[in-house]
Amino acid sequence: MSSTPETLPLVRTIGIMQPLTWLALAWRDMARAGWISFAHGLAMAVFGGLIIAVAGNRFWLLAGALSGFLVVAPVLATSLYALSRALERGEPASMDVVFKTWFNWQHSHFNKWTSQYWCLVQFGLLLALAATTWVLTSAALITLLAPEPVRTPVDFLRVVVADPESGLFELWLALGGFLAAPIFASSVVSIPLLLDRRITLMQAVLTSWRTVLYNPIPMAFWAALIAGFTLLGVGSLLLGLIAVMPMLGHASWHAYRDLVDVTTLPARDAGLAPVLVQVRH
């Protein structure tokens, strides 16, 4: 097996409105994949509901937990990327793709933790660590600095958001943005890239940062679209996530395909994964 190349793939520049094309392509993929795409959104909505059920009367924890859950959403959408890739190659977008993506591709490489075989898992753990850090930071910030206990969404709006003198909400948003910006830059194309090509975790993250640096305005627009649709999904009692999450997942695959030229990188072949086979260009 050839070694992973040390050079980074080429990054393309795009127009500012290109993210809208990704969303349109995502809806096409959702229509073709059918219930399988929406099942991903339903699973994320149910998981979000479980978070609310556990922390519903402790909104100081709930605010951080929900936003932390969204930090790791790009990893949870991995099989959506695989479905879009299957459709791109003219293959069925079936549950077999989903199962193989999650359960088969590392089955013969348990002893190679330090190699690129486990880079997706490693990146997922890093995102989970970042999400946990934010949950703890958010909870500590609200409980320590709020002038009175914050137990419900109404308390959060009244005590944190609507208090013009405390500055707590501004501080909470600033810290969240400080964490979210590098996470977005690190993950915007890295997970589809890791899924699709044999590349190290560091190479994938650096490539992801380059896409943001080369396309600052379009990627800022893309980040705003992600944030806006996610808020819409959460604000609709999580029901909107059933459509929003698969839409953003499929769109992220098309973002990766538009932004990164992977023709010089070896594909994940059948020796690495039954589902991760050579991509035809």
Side-chain angles (χ1 to χ4, degrees):
M1 184 176 300
S2 61
S3 59
T4 303
E6 296 181 358
T7 57
L8 297 178
L10 295 176
V11 171
R12 305 185 184 101
T13 56
I14 59 172
I16 185 173
M17 304 305 291
Q18 190 63 17
L20 296 180
T21 300
W22 303 337
L23 294 176
L25 292 172
W27 279 105
R28 185 196 65 181
D29 287 354
M30 291 166 67
R32 295 169 67 189
W35 68 270
I36 298 177
S37 284
F38 290 97
H40 285 75
L42 178 61
M44 293 186 184
V46 169
F47 191 75
L50 292 176
I51 293 176
I52 293 176
V54 172
N57 62 344
R58 294 180 292 275
F59 194 77
W60 52 270
L61 176 61
L62 177 61
L66 277 177
S67 52
F69 162 62
L70 297 175
V71 168
V72 298
V75 174
L76 302 178
T78 299
S79 48
L80 290 169
Y81 312 146
L83 289 170
S84 283
R85 184 178 58 181
L87 290 170
E88 181 183 284
R89 292 158 46 192
E91 299 175 357
S94 63
M95 282 301 296
D96 188 51
V97 173
V98 176
F99 288 137
K100 286 180 177 179
T101 300
W102 286 110
F103 300 115
N104 286 10
W105 75 287
Q106 300 288 14
H107 67 91
S108 62
H109 304 289
F110 290 115
N111 62 338
K112 299 179 180 179
W113 175 254
T114 58
S115 74
Q116 50 91 16
Y117 290 103
W118 285 92
C119 50
L120 264 174
V121 177
Q122 293 167 350
F123 191 62
L125 291 176
L126 289 175
L127 288 183
L129 178 61
T132 302
T133 300
W134 168 241
V135 170
L136 296 176
T137 301
S138 174
L141 192 68
I142 294 175
T143 55
L144 294 177
L145 299 184
E148 57 184 274
V150 176
R151 297 187 178 90
T152 67
V154 175
D155 291 339
F156 184 79
L157 291 174
R158 178 176 55 85
V159 176
V160 179
V161 178
D163 187 350
E165 297 181 357
S166 69
L168 178 57
F169 183 59
E170 290 77 6
L171 178 59
W172 186 77
L173 283 179
L175 286 177
F178 181 77
L179 175 66
I183 289 177
F184 173 78
S186 299
S187 61
V188 66
V189 299
S190 56
I191 301 176
L193 178 56
L194 288 168
L195 177 77
D196 191 41
R197 297 287 162 163
R198 276 197 288 122
I199 191 171
T200 67
L201 177 57
M202 182 60 68
Q203 287 174 308
V205 171
L206 289 175
T207 301
S208 191
W209 273 88
R210 289 176 70 197
T211 64
V212 175
L213 294 175
Y214 287 13
N215 301 276
I217 297 178
M219 299 315 292
F221 181 41
W222 179 226
L225 287 173
I226 292 174
F229 278 111
T230 301
L231 288 175
L232 180 64
V234 173
S236 59
L237 300 178
L238 303 180
L239 294 178
L241 293 178
I242 297 174
V244 165
M245 297 312 290
M247 178 186 69
L248 294 178
H250 287 299
S252 294
W253 170 261
H254 293 289
Y256 151 69
R257 296 293 282 148
D258 265 0
L259 288 163
V260 185
D261 181 355
V262 295
T263 54
T264 61
L265 297 177
R268 301 267 180 191
D269 57 24
L272 288 177
V275 71
L276 303 179
V277 294
Q278 179 72 37
V279 176
R280 298 181 181 91
H281 296 284

